[in-house]
């Protein structure tokens, strides 16, 4: 029996490890089964790549073989990504392999309902419920985007709410790493993603970035708040043109009681240009003041499951940690003692030495944990505060944590550089170049081009020594940008 003829059935023992119990459903590219792990007895979900889909039968033999090769490669990549993503809002990978020629992925079984079913049953949602779902989705996305990985198929059907109220992001089947050496797979037939939840750049078949997910997430959040997507489906709705050109009405048009910061946030998430959308970390920051808290009453009308329950539950009764954006390690000094500036200066000097060697180590880790504390104790104008933040950002960048590095560089640029003399202009140009370097990893090429051009103009007006510092970094970032622009500009899978 080969991959073209094998069809999973009840009682099948997959790879000697998983006994199939019942089918949970199938789509165009995969089918999912509930199974029992033979060694431990726990229930798992086993996802099989489909070799028998209707779309494949419509192709000639050569096209079918090529498309199957792409699907197999994507399926292997999904398994690799799930093994890398570590977040309670993303299904854990238990194992992967091939059974009778058919690739499979075994992962955590999420029992509950899809967000699509939840919305169909409970819309319109109480504000607290909508915010609770959005915060949990944003936490999972923050984990993926830090790698960086873009999901590319965010929609209510790919979000689950389990029986305890935890929200889980599923189906990374067309997710894509954004680092420069990620393998590219040419798509066959249609734009990747789901109609109604596609960003303008997806409709135009352009490079995805993490802000692509933010747009799709914005469509979902709009529906959470109002009970309808920003551009509803219809036989003659002109949906593509609306996503490309039409500004959605404010969500408050359809639902009362939406706080202004949330309404503004949703519209910014739905900006047509990726660079105008907030990063997912900013989404979390805006939503945090509106999050349900421990001891808050259950929202009315009640829903089951209740996505606010994990946030309202006392910490000692929480089943899993609340999903949030990545946090920094705790500082070395006890929280009830004032920081010693001489000790912090020593940490900075040691970290800068590690960074100069290209190998961030223990001292750099200490800076990561001191950022918020030095800012709180010493304010935003003390040079040592900026030194801590910039050292932490440089450490994150060199260790490959580009999302965290970008957040710190942006904060330094926004809040910690004061004055407009030559030294400050040079520092701003250098920070923005490093920020552009991080964002290159996320595919944000247009913003990087603008930053490199602006840095060149800034350097032209600086004293020679400062200009040389800016030009050295500018040329390095420009070389990376040139390499990215030289990559084949074809639609990816």
């Amino acid at each position: 029996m080969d991959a073209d003829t094998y069809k999973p059935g009840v009682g099948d023992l997959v790879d000697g490890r998983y006994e199939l119990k019942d089918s949970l459903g199938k789509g165009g590219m995969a089918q999912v089964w509930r199974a029992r792990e033979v060694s431990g007895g726990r229930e798992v979900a086993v996802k099989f790549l489909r070799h028998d889909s209707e779309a494949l039968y419509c192709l000639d033999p050569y096209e079918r073989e090529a498309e199957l090769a792409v699907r197999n490669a994507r399926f292997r990549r999904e398994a690799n990504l799930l093994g890398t993503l570590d977040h309670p809002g993303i299904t854990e990978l238990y194992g992967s392999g091939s059974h009778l020629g058919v690739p499979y992925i075994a992962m955590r079984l999420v029992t509950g309902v899809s967000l699509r079913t939840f919305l169909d049953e409970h819309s319109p949602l109480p504000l607290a419920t909508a915010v609770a779902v959005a915060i949990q989705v944003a936490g999972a996305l923050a984990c993926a985007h830090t790698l960086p990985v873009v999901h590319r198929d965010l929609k209510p059907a790919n979000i689950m709410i389990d029986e305890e109220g935890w929200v889980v992001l599923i189906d990374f089947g067309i997710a894509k790493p954004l680092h420069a050496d990620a393998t590219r797979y040419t798509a066959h037939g249609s734009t990747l993603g789901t109609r109604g939840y596609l960003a303008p750049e997806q409709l135009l078949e352009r490079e995805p970035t993490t802000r692509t997910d933010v747009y799709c997430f914005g469509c979902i959040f709009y529906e959470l708040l109002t009970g309808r997507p920003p551009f509803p489906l219809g036989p003659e709705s002109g949906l593509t043109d609306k996503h490309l050109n039409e500004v959605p009405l404010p969500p408050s048009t359809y639902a009362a009681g939406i706080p202004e910061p949330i309404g503004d946030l949703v519209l910014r998430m739905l900006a047509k240009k990726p660079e105008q959308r907030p990063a997912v970390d900013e989404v979390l920051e805006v939503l945090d003041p509106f999050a349900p808290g421990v001891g808050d009453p259950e929202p009315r009308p009640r829903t089951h499951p209740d996505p606010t329950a994990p946030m309202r539950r006392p910490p000692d009764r929480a089943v899993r940690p609340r999903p949030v954006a990545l946090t920094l390690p705790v500082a070395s000094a006890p929280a009830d003692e004032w920081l010693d500036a001489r000790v912090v200066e020593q940490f900075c000097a040691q970290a800068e030495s590690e960074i100069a060697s290209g190998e961030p180590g223990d001292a750099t880790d200490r800076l990561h944990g001191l950022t918020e504390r030095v800012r709180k104790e010493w304010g935003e104008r003390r040079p040592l505060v900026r030194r801590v933040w910039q050292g932490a950002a440089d450490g994150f960048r060199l260790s490959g944590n580009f999302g965290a590095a970008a957040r710190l560089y942006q904060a330094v640029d926004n809040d910690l550089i004061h004055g407009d003399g030559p030294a400050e202009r040079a520092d701003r140009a250098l920070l923005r170049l490093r920020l552009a370097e991080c964002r290159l990893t996320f595919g944000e090429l247009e913003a990087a081009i603008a930053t490199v051009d602006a840095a060149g103009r800034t350097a032209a007006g600086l004293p020679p020594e400062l200009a040389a510092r800016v030009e050295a970094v500018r040329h390095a970032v420009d070389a990376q940008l040139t390499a990215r622009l030289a990559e084949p500009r074809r639609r990816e899978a």
Side-chain angles (χ1 to χ4, degrees), residues 7-84:
K7 292 180 173 56
V10 175
D12 286 2
L13 189 60
V14 177
D15 212 10
R17 301 175 64 186
Y18 308 104
E19 182 185 358
L20 300 186
K21 292 298 185 182
D22 56 272
S23 175
L24 298 177
K26 65 181 179 179
M29 290 191 291
Q31 56 184 315
V32 181
W33 281 71
R34 184 195 311 270
R36 182 182 67 88
E37 190 174 44
V38 174
S39 61
R42 68 180 169 183
E43 285 196 324
V44 303
V46 178
K47 179 177 181 178
F48 293 96
L49 179 65
R50 289 188 65 190
H51 284 216
D52 62 344
S53 67
E54 295 77 7
L56 288 173
Y57 288 133
C58 294
L59 305 177
D60 65 39
Y62 176 80
E63 289 178 323
R64 184 171 185 270
E65 183 178 356
E67 178 66 8
L68 273 173
V70 169
R71 292 189 179 195
N72 277 284
R74 281 201 213 117
F75 203 77
R76 289 193 299 270
R77 186 164 70 184
E78 180 180 5
N80 291 334
L81 288 176
L82 289 179
T84 305

Side-chain angles (χ1 to χ4, degrees), residues 249-265:
L249 293 171
S252 58
T253 304
Y254 302 106
I258 298 174
E260 184 176 345
I262 292 181
D264 174 69
L265 173 69

Side-chain angles (χ1 to χ4, degrees), residues 205-378:
E205 300 183 8
R206 293 175 179 168
E207 292 281 327
T209 71
T210 55
R211 307 301 169 96
T212 302
D213 279 346
V214 170
Y215 185 94
C216 305
F217 182 20
C219 293
I220 295 168
F221 195 14
Y222 194 103
E223 190 169 354
L224 287 169
L225 293 167
T226 67
R228 50 169 285 158
F231 305 116
L233 288 167
E236 298 183 9
S237 63
L239 190 62
T240 296
D241 182 67
K242 289 180 179 180
H243 278 288
L244 290 175
N245 301 305
E246 188 173 311
V247 177
L249 293 171
S252 58
T253 304
Y254 302 106
I258 298 174
E260 184 176 345
I262 292 181
D264 174 69
L265 173 69
V266 174
L267 293 181
R268 289 192 293 122
M269 293 169 75
L270 294 172
K272 305 304 180 187
K273 294 183 178 180
E275 62 272 18
Q276 294 177 348
R277 300 170 202 152
V280 71
D281 292 318
E282 184 181 345
V283 173
L284 280 166
E285 290 174 5
V286 173
L287 293 182
D288 187 66
F290 303 96
V294 174
D296 283 357
E298 183 179 6
R300 297 298 178 95
R302 294 179 176 178
T303 64
H304 181 76
D306 176 10
T308 71
M311 301 178 184
R312 297 186 297 103
R313 190 180 298 130
D316 60 348
R317 292 178 53 202
V319 178
R320 290 194 290 272
R322 174 180 169 181
V324 295
L326 295 179
T327 57
L328 304 178
V330 177
S332 301
D336 57 352
E337 295 180 6
W338 290 104
L339 290 171
D340 187 325
R342 291 171 297 178
V343 173
V344 174
E345 287 175 348
Q346 289 176 0
F347 286 161
C348 287
Q350 293 167 8
E352 287 157 2
S353 176
E354 293 172 355
I355 289 164
S357 72
E359 297 183 359
D362 291 342
T364 310
D365 288 340
R366 292 190 186 101
L367 293 191
H368 298 167
L370 286 169
T371 49
E372 291 297 342
R373 190 165 173 193
V374 296
R375 186 176 183 175
K376 180 179 180 180
E377 291 192 16
W378 296 336

Side-chain angles (χ1 to χ4, degrees), residues 87-90 108-115 118 122 125 128-138 140 159-169 224 292 298-299 302-313 317-323:
H87 191 277
I90 299 173
R108 169 162 57 102
L109 177 66
V110 182
T111 59
V113 298
S114 73
L115 181 59
F118 185 78
H122 297 295
L125 298 176
T129 304
V131 170
V133 172
I135 286 176
Q136 294 194 62
V137 172
I159 297 168
M160 294 289 294
I161 307 175
D162 74 11
E163 295 294 336
E164 298 291 331
W166 294 99
V167 177
V168 182
L169 185 58
L224 287 169
E298 183 179 6
R302 294 179 176 178
T303 64
H304 181 76
D306 176 10
T308 71
M311 301 178 184
R312 297 186 297 103
R313 190 180 298 130
R317 292 178 53 202
V319 178
R320 290 194 290 272
R322 174 180 169 181

